[in-house]
Amino acid sequence: MSGARVLEAQVGIVGAGPGGMAAALHLARAGITVVLLDEGFRAGGQIYRQLPEGYDAGHRISEPPSHRAGNHLLDAVARERIRIVHGATVWNARPGQIYYEQNNESWLLACEQIVLAPGAYDRCVPFPGWTLPGVITAGAAQVMVRGFAVAPGQRALVCGTGPLLLPTVTALASAGVKVVAALEAAPRSAMWAALRGVIGNGARMREALFYARSLLRRGIRLQWGASVFAADGDGRVQSALIGKLDQQGAPRPETARRIEVDVICAGFGLVPAIELGLLLSCAARYDAPRGGHCLVVDEQQRTSVDSVYAVGEIVGIGGAEVAMAEGRVAGAAIAARLTSVSFDPRLALHARSERRAADAMLRAFQLRPGLFSICKPDTVVCRCEDVTSSQAAAAGELYGRTTRGIKMGCRAGMGPCQARICGLNLHDIFCDGVEPDLPVAQVPVKPVRTATMIDVPRR
Amino acid sequence: MTAIAAATADVVVVGGGIIGCAIVWQLAQRLPRTARIVLIDRGPIAGATSGSCMGHLMVTPDDAQEYAFSHASVQLWRELQDQQGGFDYNPTGALYLADDPADIALFANLQAQFVACGDRAEILDQQQLRELEPGLAHDLPGALFYPGDGVVLPMTACGAMLRAAQTAGPRVDVLPYTPLTSVLREGDRITGVVTPTGPISSPNIVLACGVWTPEVGALAGLPKLPIVPRAGNLAITAHHASPIRTQLLEISYLRFAHGAATVDPTLIGADQGGHAVNMQPQSLGGCLIGSTRQFRGMNRELNHELLHRALLRAARYAPGLLDLPIVRTWVGLRPFSLDKHPLIGPWPLLRGLWIAAGHEGLGISLAPITGQLIAQQMLGLPCSIDHRPYLPARVVA
């Protein structure tokens, strides 16, 4: 128990994705010492995920045009020699202190200011068979393809909703996976709404065009208003039942058909990873289109806690461009605080316009309530505690129809994921008419060894 | 299940924790089919202390009265398991541990107490302890094993009690998220309660609000009841193989927990807090770790320092814990009664008002017998054990 494992920096940043890296770059160029903490092996976050160092996949995974900005950022961060701690699990934080576990060691990053850029979690609406091996999230598919150059299967169904489906389809296809079907749960009108939202945003238009061409070249047609209904197989996924959705988003059983696949990549949007912010007592609010509870920030990305800033998905799902723009704002705002440089308000204007475009897109892809009826009474809704939909419904009936009541009645949401996976689903399926309970932030925000919690470095 | 349907009742129980649920369960077994019982809570069922505590079913052999009280309750828990189930009931027994020579001498004392109550407990040597719990530190000198204790999951036990009540005969309405806003009375008797969804007329109200009982009692015009919160910090591991199969207690727990308090409990800030290990294996393979105690008002922030000490101590006994991931930590508030005994029975100055609160860390263990004593007294039936030490009349100035 040395208690000596302490890093110091003027600014500690959680997350080395586009938001965290943009903030770090801005700060480092202003002469401010920065440490980036990241769970991954390499910088880039979920979106600009890189293969492990020195790893040759033998084939090239196609990259959308937006990744050029990510590559520039990665290069710049490397040139500035910004310190990145990889494989770091942040488990506790208070203003000025970030506690993390790395290689089974307990560390403290002591810093004056904190930037939270932890990203988001995949959301999956539960459907029969979704716990079978071979059903993975859209995010997991990206990790396998971009992070390890591994194809998750031979024949894939990609389903869910939102702008992340297209990168998933192209990533899988470029890794040699045959995409048998690509189903978007939103109606076709969402496409026009989303396109209207991005008109005038050149980068987003180019991105949309890239994906359209990419699908066309491979003969993959995105089906609107359609979804997976069930996954089937003996011990692992062998087939999927798919079909069309009605006006409310509910499955139309008469359209159901079975397709043979060995992997299902489901992505029903993303949920902001706000737990560190809650632990730091940052104010949060519920914003359904932005993915759930989001931290509240001012125009300089400052949270309700003076020394804590938040950028990217934690403020609301928005994608890499938003995160990068907000990261620059937070970096500039902190630089203005710690040095004599003044804050350039144009950065904030740019971030706001990126956020507006993202919001328009998200509104178009909101989950429709009918979709939750793909979840059947015996479908598992909480995977950690193995709770079925009917058990959760019975718990809500007796204990109170809130996520908290359901949790008390059947332990849904009490396992290692601490309701990150099931929380919003429990609300949307069972708690009609009430706003979701704000999640309670409890240490550790991610599971860490008891030894890590005991052997806390002190200052 | 609406407040309108339940606008009249024979009993309104205020508080959906383990005590309130046990009262509903025990009343439902004794009231006629035509009777109505209503349970209200301002939050979800088991949303406060009963949703943030350990689940120890503990027989306490301090004296014949305490033994009868706790033993009868643990028996009722077994009946609920046979009748209803669904709350991870696990009759593990309890292993009392020590590593301090002064504490080791306590094994024989505690064993003698169990024997004096007509029960039994076994002193294990190093070898026997190793066979029973191979995951414990190998240098431990031995232990005392008492087979009569057990573990339950309190949150789901609340529901099991309510479901048992709903099938017993009388009508039982459970109304979560229904706070008590005022108490209706005529002269010296209770006539009902008021909630945001309307009044419920009833000749009987039971206050089973744990640490909030003084606050709720004030709504009924009661003087400040002598119950104060005593915080505990807890941690739980992921569903890996727990390093233990039996519930573990440091024997020093006995001089530190429950009634014992070395500071004035009403002086917030005076108590530095203390800890003695209590570890419970969980049904899905996790391990629940307590127990710390500190008087510091309603504060539910984690005391990192105290929890740190408790985890260190737990790892002293079960070293395998060091490598297990902790999933979460939290704080629960025990209702500590200033004279160290719970308040169970009628409030003598207001007919129809009943109190059941102040069980400190034994609320889960003692809930069934508490429910039974309330039901028996309310219906004028003979009590299954001597109920007089717990009557609230003793705190009427």
Side-chain angles (χ1 to χ4, degrees):
Chain A
M1 315 250 163
S2 67
R5 290 182 296 268
V6 179
L7 272 185
E8 289 187 38
Q10 284 173 286
V11 182
I13 303 178
V14 181
M21 287 195 297
L25 191 60
H26 213 101
L27 289 162
R29 284 175 175 166
I32 294 165
T33 58
V34 179
V35 169
L36 271 163
L37 302 176
D38 195 80
E39 276 184 340
F41 305 116
R42 299 191 69 186
Q46 180 70 298
I47 185 89
Y48 304 134
R49 191 174 283 277
Q50 309 178 79
L51 289 173
E53 211 141 6
Y55 185 92
D56 181 11
H59 60 272
R60 205 184 136 271
I61 305 299
S62 86
E63 286 186 343
S66 60
H67 279 222
R68 241 167 278 150
N71 293 334
H72 287 314
L73 192 54
L74 284 164
D75 290 343
V77 165
R79 268 200 309 278
E80 292 291 333
R81 302 180 182 283
I82 292 170
R83 178 152 188 189
I84 306 179
V85 179
H86 295 290
T89 302
V90 175
W91 61 274
N92 189 15
R94 33 188 117 136
Q97 298 173 330
I98 306 174
Y99 294 87
Y100 63 96
E101 182 181 78
Q102 188 201 27
N103 294 329
N104 284 349
E105 286 181 342
S106 192
W107 283 83
L108 164 64
L109 171 58
C111 50
E112 292 165 42
Q113 309 284 327
I114 292 176
V115 179
L116 299 176
Y121 300 109
D122 278 301
R123 180 165 187 188
C124 187
V125 174
F127 53 87
W130 76 302
T131 55
L132 277 172
V135 181
I136 60 177
T137 62
Q142 299 255 19
V143 172
M144 292 174 81
V145 173
R146 295 197 185 284
F148 299 97
V150 170
Q154 267 119 48
R155 295 169 56 83
L157 162 65
V158 177
C159 55
T161 191
L164 269 182
L165 290 189
L166 295 176
T168 307
V169 170
T170 47
L172 286 168
S174 71
V177 181
K178 176 164 178 53
V179 178
V180 181
L183 314 179
E184 164 59 63
R188 184 174 290 275
S189 58
M191 180 175 79
W192 304 116
L195 284 177
R196 268 197 305 278
V198 300
I199 279 173
N201 186 318
R204 282 174 193 269
M205 292 296 283
R206 273 193 298 281
E207 194 84 344
L209 212 61
F210 166 83
Y211 287 122
R213 270 208 299 264
S214 168
L215 261 65
L216 204 64
R217 202 175 62 233
R218 296 183 166 98
I220 303 168
R221 195 171 63 87
L222 184 68
Q223 297 175 54
W224 293 84
S227 175
V228 66
F229 293 173
D232 268 307
D234 185 11
R236 63 161 295 120
V237 169
Q238 289 164 324
S239 70
L241 198 64
I242 62 170
K244 293 181 177 159
L245 304 173
D246 68 15
Q247 293 287 312
Q248 279 71 48
R252 289 168 54 195
E254 75 281 6
T255 66
R257 63 191 177 91
R258 190 163 292 283
I259 56 171
E260 272 181 40
V261 291
D262 60 358
V263 61
I264 298 176
C265 305
F268 290 87
L270 298 170
V271 184
I274 61 162
E275 59 272 17
L276 266 178
L278 296 179
L279 208 56
L280 285 156
S281 306
C282 302
R285 73 190 166 84
Y286 181 68
D287 186 329
R290 283 195 182 179
H293 285 102
C294 309
L295 293 197
V296 178
V297 290
D298 66 13
E299 68 284 354
Q300 298 194 356
Q301 301 301 129
R302 186 163 48 182
T303 68
S304 63
V305 178
D306 184 53
S307 62
V308 180
Y309 292 72
V311 303
E313 315 291 48
I314 191 172
V315 179
I317 302 308
E321 289 74 21
V322 175
M324 236 185 275
E326 292 182 349
R328 282 193 288 270
V329 171
I334 296 171
R337 247 174 116 155
L338 300 182
T339 68
S340 53
V341 205
S342 60
F343 179 77
D344 181 353
R346 280 172 305 182
L347 292 173
L349 280 178
H350 173 61
R352 212 179 309 158
S353 96
E354 285 293 348
R355 185 54 88 175
R356 259 201 305 275
D359 282 343
M361 183 95 84
L362 287 168
R363 271 196 300 276
F365 289 100
Q366 267 207 86
L367 289 176
R368 291 178 291 170
L371 184 67
F372 294 99
S373 58
I374 63 174
C375 177
K376 299 299 177 198
D378 58 353
T379 305
V380 168
V381 288
C382 166
R383 302 175 73 134
C384 297
E385 303 285 336
D386 214 12
V387 175
T388 64
S389 176
S390 61
Q391 288 169 331
E397 191 65 31
L398 184 62
Y399 281 67
R401 258 184 239 104
T402 60
T403 49
R404 190 161 165 71
I406 291 170
K407 172 175 163 177
M408 292 303 151
C410 65
R411 58 197 301 167
M414 288 185 68
C417 96
Q418 289 292 288
R420 285 188 269 265
I421 308 293
C422 66
L424 273 182
N425 289 335
L426 292 175
H427 171 266
D428 289 345
I429 299 173
F430 304 109
C431 311
D432 231 14
V434 295
E435 187 158 293
D437 297 323
L438 184 67
V440 180
Q442 286 163 324
V443 175
V445 292
K446 297 265 176 81
V448 289
R449 295 162 72 237
T450 306
T452 295
M453 290 188 63
I454 290 178
D455 193 13
V456 180
R458 275 151 218 279
R459 297 207 80 208
Chain B
M1 271 223 321
T2 64
I4 292 161
T8 63
D10 296 278
V11 189
V12 175
V13 177
V14 185
I18 198 76
I19 302 292
C21 293
I23 293 165
V24 171
W25 169 44
Q26 291 293 319
L27 277 169
Q29 288 185 337
R30 290 170 176 81
L31 284 168
R33 293 187 64 83
T34 50
R36 278 185 177 179
I37 307 168
V38 176
L39 176 89
I40 63 173
D41 194 292
R42 66 174 168 188
I45 300 306
T49 298
S50 299
S52 52
C53 61
M54 301 182 86
H56 190 175
L57 306 185
M58 185 181 197
V59 177
T60 47
D62 309 32
D63 55 44
Q65 173 71 30
E66 284 299 299
Y67 179 81
F69 190 37
S70 57
H71 190 260
S73 205
V74 172
Q75 289 300 326
L76 288 170
W77 271 109
R78 239 163 256 159
E79 283 175 28
L80 183 68
Q81 167 64 14
D82 294 343
Q83 185 188 341
Q84 192 70 31
F87 49 93
D88 296 358
Y89 174 80
N90 186 358
T92 67
L95 259 181
Y96 287 89
L97 301 176
D99 67 343
D100 181 316
D103 284 346
I104 291 162
L106 295 173
F107 291 157
N109 295 359
L110 185 60
Q111 185 188 40
Q113 284 183 326
F114 277 114
V115 170
C117 294
D119 207 334
R120 67 188 173 87
E122 195 184 339
I123 292 181
L124 308 181
D125 64 22
Q126 207 164 24
Q127 187 56 37
Q128 290 166 314
L129 178 60
R130 180 95 56 99
E131 276 162 27
L132 184 67
E133 280 291 3
L136 292 183
H138 289 178
D139 64 337
L140 293 177
L144 181 78
F145 179 66
Y146 174 67
D149 281 9
V151 178
V152 296
L153 183 64
M155 306 175 324
T156 51
C158 287
M161 288 172 171
L162 295 177
R163 290 190 176 103
Q166 285 175 331
T167 52
R171 174 172 179 156
V172 175
D173 290 304
V174 179
L175 307 176
Y177 293 99
T178 306
L180 175 75
T181 50
S182 63
V183 171
L184 301 173
R185 49 192 286 183
E186 272 170 26
D188 69 344
R189 66 171 303 122
I190 288 290
T191 58
V193 297
V194 180
T195 74
T197 41
I200 306 169
S201 58
S202 171
N204 291 295
I205 306 176
V206 189
L207 303 184
C209 310
V211 295
W212 293 275
T213 308
E215 180 188 313
V216 179
L219 290 176
L222 266 51
K224 192 168 163 46
L225 294 170
I227 295 170
V228 297
R230 194 180 202 184
N233 299 269
L234 295 112
I236 194 163
T237 71
H239 304 325
H240 295 249
S242 164
I244 53 160
R245 298 176 296 199
T246 317
Q247 162 159 247
L248 307 182
L249 281 154
E250 228 173 340
I251 199 160
S252 59
Y253 185 88
L254 298 176
R255 63 164 180 270
F256 148 79
H258 310 312
T262 52
V263 294
D264 179 350
T266 59
L267 284 180
I268 293 171
D271 188 6
Q272 296 307 301
H275 62 93
V277 171
N278 186 186
M279 292 172 77
Q280 294 176 345
Q282 300 287 291
S283 64
L284 291 173
C287 181
L288 180 56
I289 306 147
S291 102
T292 70
R293 280 175 159 78
Q294 187 179 22
F295 295 109
R296 51 165 199 177
M298 290 287 189
N299 184 354
R300 288 189 69 179
E301 270 173 49
L302 199 71
N303 182 330
H304 285 269
E305 183 56 38
L306 259 188
L307 181 68
H308 174 261
R309 277 156 53 194
L311 289 175
L312 198 60
R313 196 72 187 144
R316 155 72 185 105
Y317 288 104
L321 181 66
L322 288 172
D323 289 314
L324 290 182
I326 298 280
V327 169
R328 78 201 149 94
T329 61
W330 68 98
V331 173
L333 300 176
R334 306 176 184 90
F336 180 88
S337 164
L338 290 186
D339 73 358
K340 302 166 186 185
H341 292 288
L343 306 175
I344 305 167
W347 184 251
L349 306 181
L350 190 53
R351 271 194 296 161
L353 186 72
W354 301 75
I355 295 168
H359 296 72
E360 213 267 4
L362 288 170
I364 303 307
S365 205
L366 296 173
I369 188 70
T370 300
Q372 193 172 68
L373 290 179
I374 290 283
Q376 287 166 337
Q377 291 179 74
M378 197 179 285
L379 299 173
L381 303 168
C383 286
S384 41
I385 62 148
D386 186 355
H387 64 289
R388 290 168 301 178
Y390 316 111
L391 287 174
R394 70 185 191 274
V395 304
V396 176

